[in-house]
Amino acid sequence: MELKKGLEDVAIKETEITYIDGQLGRLYYRGYPIYDLTEFSTFDEVAYLIWFGKLPNRKELQDLKEKFVEERKISDSITDYLRKVRKDANPMDVLRTAVSQIGLEDTRPGDIREKAISLASKIPIIISYFSRLRDGKDIVEPDPSLSHVENFLYMLNGNKPSQVESRTMDVTMILHIDHEMNASTFACLVVASTLSDLYSSVVAGISALKGPLHGGANAEALKQFMEIGSKENVTDYIMKRLENGQRIMGFGHRIYKTYDPRARILKDYAKKITEERGNKELFAIAEKVDEIGCKILGKKGIYPNVDFYAGIVLYSLGFNPDLFPTVFASSRVVGWTAHVMEYLKDNKLIRPKAIYRGEIGRKYIDLDSRE
Ligand SMILES: CC(C)(COP(=O)(O)OP(=O)(O)OC[C@H]1O[C@@H](n2cnc3c(N)ncnc32)[C@H](O)[C@@H]1OP(=O)(O)O)[C@@H](O)C(=O)NCCC(=O)NCCS
């Protein structure tokens, strides 16, 4: 039996959701190029596309928006938990626990897609309530006149987002919505394949996304730009890091061996949002790291990935760096649940093998005789 460490190059399902061409740097959702979706669509439309397999017409989009608004509520017991939980708790732990509680409280029988829509609507509430409460601020009630992403920023920051902010958030959320068979999506499928419930699957996804090898690199990339401090320090910083065998955060990807198309798109939005929010220097540093990093690492197929500019963008939108993975989850929940629904159409319990390398037939020694 062949050992495939990390299941690299192992396909576990057929999909019609996302296609990545890692050599040419192309990404398609349901067959549509990511460039078109980020230019012409909103997060709500792309969420519909991922869940239903087609772009919505006006009526279908309106219905989804109304469902999002209708489901923008969490129970008193969850709000109470968010008030009482330790202020220094890891936000991904808080989110995981709150989603678990939503699952426990949701006793309605029902369509799995309806539950997915409801959960996607609730996750931003959990994140913004927790963020404000731990900062000693009052919670902000959802505003039904706002879109999903506008409402998210409004509940987080307490003021309605500008056009640039809301468009930047839309695009960032679209770019994180799905990415084929990544670790957290796989974790969701492992749970779903046992015919457990959707909430348990999503809890597994959040748990996998929490790890720094998956959901944490955007904060690391931001930290790196802050550490560099000025554009003039970039070359020295990169050279020193590479000489010491350290990595440039936000560079490199298992699948993309060229510039990640998501990073290319986010770069423009990072520029606009940092201009609006007075963080221009941060963008200038990142752009220089991008330029020098590509010159040095590009030969090895190592280029900026989505996390490279995502950190600056989310920070400029008002998110504390420890919340970045939760924002990622608030978008990826759409992909997770779509993959679960797709997998369940032709379910097979996920049960791989391990190659045993230990001894066989050891002689049993009773407790008193053991050394
Ligand atoms: C994402 C990542 C884990 C993918 O790694 P991978 O496909 O498993 O590839 P490896 O870790 O085996 O790296 C292959 C080679 O590229 C180098 N490399 C990979 N990413 C690098 C980076 N960001 N900076 C410098 N060198 C890098 C490795 O040192 C290794 O070099 P070697 O062959 O001379 O030892 C890796 O690129 C990384 O750690 N990047 C930084 C963290 C990050 O941005 N993560 C977010 C991913 S979306």
Side-chain angles (χ1 to χ4, degrees):
M1 194 191 318
E2 194 190 351
L3 174 64
K4 288 275 197 176
K5 268 186 96 176
L7 298 184
E8 195 168 354
D9 287 329
V10 175
I12 68 125
K13 87 195 248 272
E14 291 177 332
T15 186
E16 292 178 1
I17 301 173
T18 292
Y19 175 65
I20 307 169
D21 183 330
Q23 295 304 322
L24 294 177
R26 295 193 182 142
L27 174 62
Y28 303 83
Y29 294 155
R30 300 279 189 188
Y32 293 99
I34 192 70
Y35 288 104
D36 288 347
L37 294 171
T38 48
E39 189 163 352
F40 304 116
S41 278
T42 59
F43 175 77
D44 301 355
E45 277 178 86
V46 179
Y48 187 99
L49 172 69
I50 298 283
W51 276 322
F52 292 84
K54 65 181 271 271
L55 281 168
N57 59 30
R58 283 204 182 277
K59 160 93 176 59
E60 289 161 339
L61 182 60
Q62 191 51 33
D63 285 352
L64 179 65
K65 282 172 184 274
E66 279 169 19
K67 271 186 202 145
F68 271 150
V69 169
E70 224 170 89
E71 293 298 327
R72 266 182 210 157
K73 53 186 180 230
I74 54 174
S75 67
D76 290 347
S77 67
I78 298 175
T79 307
D80 205 37
Y81 158 70
L82 295 171
R83 271 187 212 289
K84 289 183 182 149
V85 68
R86 279 172 36 191
K87 304 216 171 331
D88 63 348
N90 181 320
M92 285 296 264
D93 291 341
V94 174
L95 180 62
R96 189 190 60 214
T97 307
V99 168
S100 193
Q101 180 71 15
I102 292 173
L104 192 140
E105 290 172 4
D106 182 8
T107 50
R108 302 174 290 181
D111 181 46
I112 186 165
R113 194 154 40 200
E114 297 292 317
K115 288 181 188 285
I117 294 170
S118 162
L119 194 51
S121 184
K122 291 176 182 352
I123 288 178
I125 305 183
I126 298 166
I127 299 167
S128 16
Y129 276 16
F130 174 63
S131 169
R132 293 187 68 86
L133 289 167
R134 73 174 177 179
D135 290 348
K137 296 180 184 154
D138 288 336
I139 54 178
V140 175
E141 294 301 333
D143 180 338
S145 72
L146 298 177
S147 76
H148 184 70
V149 301
E150 285 168 346
N151 181 63
F152 193 172
L153 291 177
Y154 170 64
M155 291 182 70
L156 179 88
N157 294 323
N159 47 281
K160 295 197 179 155
S162 70
Q163 238 186 348
V164 172
E165 287 169 326
S166 111
R167 191 63 203 139
T168 304
M169 184 66 174
D170 245 331
V171 168
T172 308
M173 294 279 282
I174 292 173
L175 291 174
H176 287 84
I177 209 165
D178 191 51
H179 212 228
E180 203 228 44
M181 202 40 57
N182 51 87
S184 55
T185 303
F186 180 60
C188 291
L189 293 184
V190 171
V191 174
S193 81
T194 69
L195 300 185
S196 181
D197 65 294
L198 186 73
Y199 298 101
S200 302
S201 284
V202 171
V203 166
I206 295 170
S207 308
L209 187 64
K210 181 186 166 193
L213 293 186
H214 193 359
N218 45 20
E220 289 301 316
L222 174 72
K223 201 167 114 198
Q224 160 185 273
F225 304 140
M226 288 178 161
E227 251 169 48
I228 293 174
S230 138
K231 220 171 116 178
E232 285 63 49
N233 301 336
V234 168
T235 310
D236 269 6
Y237 181 92
I238 294 188
M239 297 319 284
K240 271 203 199 103
R241 240 183 124 80
L242 293 177
E243 273 161 29
N244 292 335
Q246 290 168 302
R247 296 185 172 203
I248 308 302
M249 296 317 286
F251 262 72
H253 197 275
R254 177 65 64 81
I255 309 280
Y256 294 114
K257 296 305 165 201
T258 182
Y259 210 105
D260 181 336
R262 300 169 300 171
R264 205 177 280 293
I265 294 166
L266 264 189
K267 182 176 179 178
D268 287 345
Y269 287 89
K271 185 164 193 287
K272 279 185 222 152
I273 192 81
T274 49
E275 270 166 15
E276 185 173 283
R277 300 304 301 260
N279 279 336
K280 268 162 93 171
E281 182 63 13
L282 211 48
F283 179 77
I285 295 168
E287 203 179 24
K288 186 91 185 163
V289 175
D290 181 341
E291 180 200 323
I292 310 268
C294 284
K295 267 191 200 139
I296 301 173
L297 297 169
K299 300 179 244 229
K300 291 168 80 181
I302 301 167
Y303 288 92
N305 59 51
V306 68
D307 293 313
F308 191 80
Y309 289 107
I312 301 187
V313 165
L314 292 175
Y315 181 68
S316 305
L317 287 171
F319 292 97
N320 199 64
D322 70 347
L323 295 175
F324 294 174
T326 63
V327 185
F328 191 156
S330 73
S331 166
R332 185 58 60 87
V333 68
V334 177
W336 289 336
T337 51
H339 276 280
V340 165
M341 289 185 266
E342 191 178 60
Y343 192 80
L344 288 179
K345 281 190 200 151
D346 183 25
N347 186 47
K348 171 109 178 146
L349 176 73
I350 297 174
R351 201 299 187 192
K353 289 209 56 144
I355 301 173
Y356 182 68
R357 303 277 190 221
E359 291 176 49
I360 289 177
R362 295 171 84 182
K363 186 172 170 352
Y364 187 82
I365 304 164
D366 66 33
L367 185 56
D368 292 330
S369 315
R370 289 175 212 160
E371 284 180 5

